[in-house]
Amino acid sequence: MNKIPFITKEKAQEIAMTYPTPFHLYDERGIRENAKAVKEAFAWNPGFKEYFAVKATPNPYLIQILREYGCGCDCSSMTELMLSKAMGIEGEDIMFSSNDTPAEEYAFAGELGAIINLDDITHIDFVEKILGKLPRTISCRYNPGGVFKMSNGIMDNPGDAKYGFTTEQMFEGYRLLKEKGVEDFGIHAFLASNTVSNEYYPVLARELFELAVRLKKETGAHIKFINLSGGIGIPYQPDQEANDIRVIGEGVRRVYEEVLVPAGMGDVAIYTEMGRFMMGPYGQLVTKAIHEKHTHKEYIGVDACAVNLMRPAMYGAYHHITVLGKEDAPCSYKYDVTGSLCENNDKFAVDRMLPAIEKGDYLVIHDTGAHGYAMGYNYNGKLKSAELLLKEDGSVQLIRRAETPKDYFATLDCLDIYDKLEL
Ligand SMILES: *Cc1c(COP(=O)(O)O)cnc(C)c1O
């Protein structure tokens, strides 16, 4: 897949006059086209809903765009629930897929009427005590254990994951919930992450649909929805082929017609909780080269660091880089592209072939729209950047300001450090 920056060098210079680098830039057009494709790919299922995984990109301006395509919110914490409520998203438009959940978060989810997706069988009693009475609809997260395989090999290792109910616990849990008056049930599972394959959802769907048929038969539970959760990936590497959501939607439809419809379960709604696929390719981190260093290796130092994008430092993840104004120049120099943290893993690229970079050049780091800004932190006293929206008309809107030192010192308000600086 050809990796194209959203902006030219000239546009970057223009934006940087108002909003200094580094900043995250999101492409409204791309977000809209993709959200529309997702909606169309699952239009065959009347109850379909995508619950956007808020943790991937917790920005209300961006989530508001997804709302126009019928998306709800998948939340996993108190503040994500609060963010949804503040946007007017409540009730069954919220999926609360948490784990190791504090009591007050279940209480708030209950207050909002969110769909609660239980991570553990012991949470049945826990939630009942907190809410007084279990909600009418409830979901259980499934973890079959073992490894998750597809035709091209092992994809992930659910047996090692902390999430979900075992198969036995699903049956036991459903019986218990039914006794306690729950009427409508959901099944949820997240068994592999960042799958760049049109096969993942259909393979997962078959496993969950077959489980649903058994659960219905053996416990009499009414299965209202099956939540395929996240895990649909994006091609971070330029030579990877992107998932085709239409092919994925059709794949799920085939399995649905093969397994659920003959079992008299043709009314089951399909839900998804995609984060990365909804936003990842539609965000880019724009940063400026501020130093070049020639020692045992060639280094380019930029004004962004792992605080702005943690994935390379944390997972050794590849993020493609384009040097603006040098899109067609030969990549004949080998660089490490570094940030300024006092951590040697603060590198956006290692031994990357790029065009000759000069100080002042703008670098675009691709595919930062999900799990990018969101994973930010304040190590080394670094401040989080602004988020900007590139609108369809070409204008740029500030959708989150950059942090200031005052924000950094805010939690030390008992010491009034900021006031003592007398700036
Ligand atoms: C992280 C997460 C998602 C989103 O995952 P992506 O890989 O970004 O699609 C969805 N559901 C749950 C429960 C998650 O933890």
Side-chain angles (χ1 to χ4, degrees):
M1 220 177 110
N2 202 6
K3 298 275 178 197
I4 300 166
F6 305 145
I7 50 171
T8 60
K9 179 182 175 180
E10 291 67 33
K11 184 79 180 174
Q13 283 167 333
E14 182 198 317
I15 297 171
M17 284 197 283
T18 314
Y19 308 110
T21 53
F23 53 78
H24 281 272
L25 183 69
Y26 299 90
D27 176 35
E28 180 178 6
R29 184 187 313 259
I31 294 168
R32 285 187 183 280
E33 282 172 4
N34 184 64
K36 184 164 169 279
V38 167
K39 190 176 171 187
E40 285 169 4
F42 288 92
W44 56 266
N45 181 259
F48 173 76
K49 195 171 196 71
E50 151 70 3
Y51 289 87
F52 176 64
V54 171
K55 73 162 193 256
T57 325
N59 189 302
Y61 290 88
L62 301 177
I63 295 171
Q64 198 56 53
I65 296 173
L66 298 179
R67 288 289 285 165
E68 291 179 36
Y69 301 86
C71 297
C73 283
D74 163 37
C75 300
S76 59
S77 68
M78 189 64 125
T79 46
E80 288 179 2
L81 288 169
M82 288 171 160
L83 189 100
S84 303
K85 178 177 161 56
M87 294 182 66
I89 302 169
E90 293 189 42
E92 300 211 340
D93 276 357
I94 300 178
M95 183 68 61
F96 188 51
S97 290
S98 57
N99 71 93
D100 189 21
T101 314
E104 59 273 21
E105 298 192 2
Y106 273 138
F108 191 49
E111 209 176 291
L112 296 181
I115 301 178
I116 291 177
N117 182 28
L118 298 171
D119 183 64
D120 187 52
I121 194 160
T122 64
H123 291 200
I124 295 173
D125 288 338
F126 189 63
V127 171
E128 189 182 31
K129 267 205 200 90
I130 294 161
L131 301 187
K133 182 178 181 301
L134 289 169
R136 180 198 154 101
T137 302
I138 212 154
S139 173
C140 297
R141 182 168 185 165
Y142 175 52
N143 181 342
V147 293
F148 184 79
K149 276 189 249 152
M150 298 196 321
S151 61
N152 50 349
I154 292 174
M155 298 299 293
D156 224 317
N157 195 354
D160 231 13
K162 65 173 175 172
Y163 311 106
F165 292 51
T166 65
T167 310
E168 266 174 25
Q169 288 172 341
M170 287 295 284
F171 285 86
E172 197 186 329
Y174 267 46
R175 286 199 186 94
L176 189 58
L177 287 163
K178 231 174 146 260
E179 272 169 35
K180 291 176 182 289
V182 171
E183 288 175 45
D184 297 320
F185 290 78
I187 303 174
H188 169 283
F190 190 158
L191 303 186
S193 199
N194 192 29
T195 56
V196 188
S197 156
N198 293 328
E199 242 192 291
Y200 171 63
Y201 263 0
V203 170
L204 172 69
R206 182 179 296 279
E207 186 160 345
L208 298 186
F209 293 173
E210 286 171 353
L211 175 69
V213 172
R214 282 178 54 207
L215 277 167
K216 184 190 171 191
K217 209 179 277 170
E218 293 181 31
T219 70
H222 172 243
I223 315 277
K224 181 177 168 186
F225 65 84
I226 291 173
N227 183 345
L228 302 175
S229 190
I232 299 298
I234 59 169
Y236 287 100
Q237 308 259 0
D239 59 358
Q240 281 178 300
E241 196 177 330
N243 285 326
D244 184 337
I245 198 66
R246 290 173 185 82
V247 174
I248 292 172
E250 272 308 297
V252 175
R253 186 227 280 257
R254 265 200 304 277
V255 185
Y256 190 98
E257 284 170 0
E258 207 180 301
V259 181
L260 287 182
V261 174
M265 297 172 73
D267 62 341
V268 173
I270 300 299
Y271 294 165
T272 56
E273 291 174 340
M274 293 180 278
R276 197 186 310 272
F277 188 78
M278 300 307 288
M279 246 0 137
Y282 314 112
Q284 295 177 347
L285 175 59
V286 181
T287 181
K288 194 157 78 172
I290 55 173
H291 291 290
E292 41 178 311
K293 173 166 178 165
H294 317 280
T295 53
H296 309 291
K297 294 182 90 171
E298 295 298 299
Y299 294 102
I300 294 295
V302 296
D303 59 5
C305 64
V307 159
N308 308 108
L309 175 68
M310 197 177 184
R311 299 186 72 259
M314 190 162 173
Y315 314 115
Y318 179 95
H319 280 265
H320 198 66
I321 294 178
T322 304
V323 183
L324 293 183
K326 299 181 179 175
E327 287 83 351
D328 301 319
C331 292
S332 38
Y333 291 79
K334 191 192 268 184
Y335 293 116
D336 281 15
V337 178
T338 81
S340 54
L341 295 189
C342 304
E343 284 285 345
N344 197 43
N345 65 2
D346 186 14
K347 294 179 178 179
F348 292 114
V350 174
D351 296 333
R352 182 78 56 90
M353 296 307 294
L354 289 165
I357 297 173
E358 286 144 85
K359 281 183 270 185
D361 277 348
Y362 290 99
L363 277 64
V364 163
I365 304 177
H366 293 256
D367 302 313
T368 64
H371 313 293
Y373 177 93
M375 289 174 89
Y377 54 114
N378 284 118
Y379 194 51
N380 266 179
K382 296 288 175 179
L383 304 175
K384 285 185 243 171
S385 78
E387 295 187 289
L388 307 176
L389 180 63
L390 178 64
K391 312 230 305 189
E392 285 184 292
D393 65 6
S395 64
V396 167
Q397 183 188 359
L398 181 68
I399 56 172
R400 188 195 300 268
R401 68 163 171 82
E403 279 183 340
T404 66
K406 199 167 181 175
D407 296 317
Y408 181 76
F409 293 120
T411 47
L412 295 169
D413 45 6
C414 47
L415 294 174
D416 292 329
I417 286 189
Y418 199 77
D419 295 335
K420 284 180 192 150
L421 287 171
E422 291 174 12
L423 293 174

